[in-house]
Amino acid sequence: MFGEHGHFSTTDGLYMNEAAGHRRELQPAEPSSLEGVAKRLHARALADGQRAVASKLTYVFGSAYCAECDALFRVDHAIVARWSS
């Protein structure tokens, strides 16, 4: 999830009603470690003065722990898997 409630993974579809114990904070990627499209998007956001967007992109291309099983995963890979099925 990204937004006013923070950057986190959760297994609850109604995440605002769930106990905080079912949330795991996302781990942002270091901007210097970004490559390819991630690096280009981040650089473009900064060049356009969109620092908030650039910051959120580090979470999109960062990692997270599953709130259910504690497995580490890449956020962008989970997004692609979710939207390509």
Side-chain angles (χ1 to χ4, degrees):
M1 308 297 324
F2 301 93
E4 65 184 81
H5 299 286
H7 306 83
F8 57 91
S9 68
T10 182
T11 57
D12 181 28
L14 300 172
Y15 62 89
M16 291 184 295
N17 295 326
E18 186 65 28
H22 290 173
R23 295 181 184 183
R24 297 293 310 264
E25 294 296 317
L26 301 183
Q27 306 300 310
E30 286 294 326
S32 61
S33 73
L34 297 174
E35 298 178 340
V37 70
K39 183 177 182 175
R40 291 193 306 272
L41 287 170
H42 188 264
R44 179 82 263 163
L46 289 176
D48 289 344
Q50 298 295 321
R51 294 201 177 279
V53 172
S55 175
K56 288 180 180 173
L57 286 168
T58 64
Y59 288 94
V60 171
F61 294 103
S63 60
Y65 285 94
C66 176
E68 187 172 294
C69 71
D70 216 30
L72 182 65
F73 64 92
R74 288 209 14 205
V75 175
D76 58 326
H77 290 181
I79 292 169
V80 169
R82 169 81 168 117
W83 291 101
S84 64
S85 45

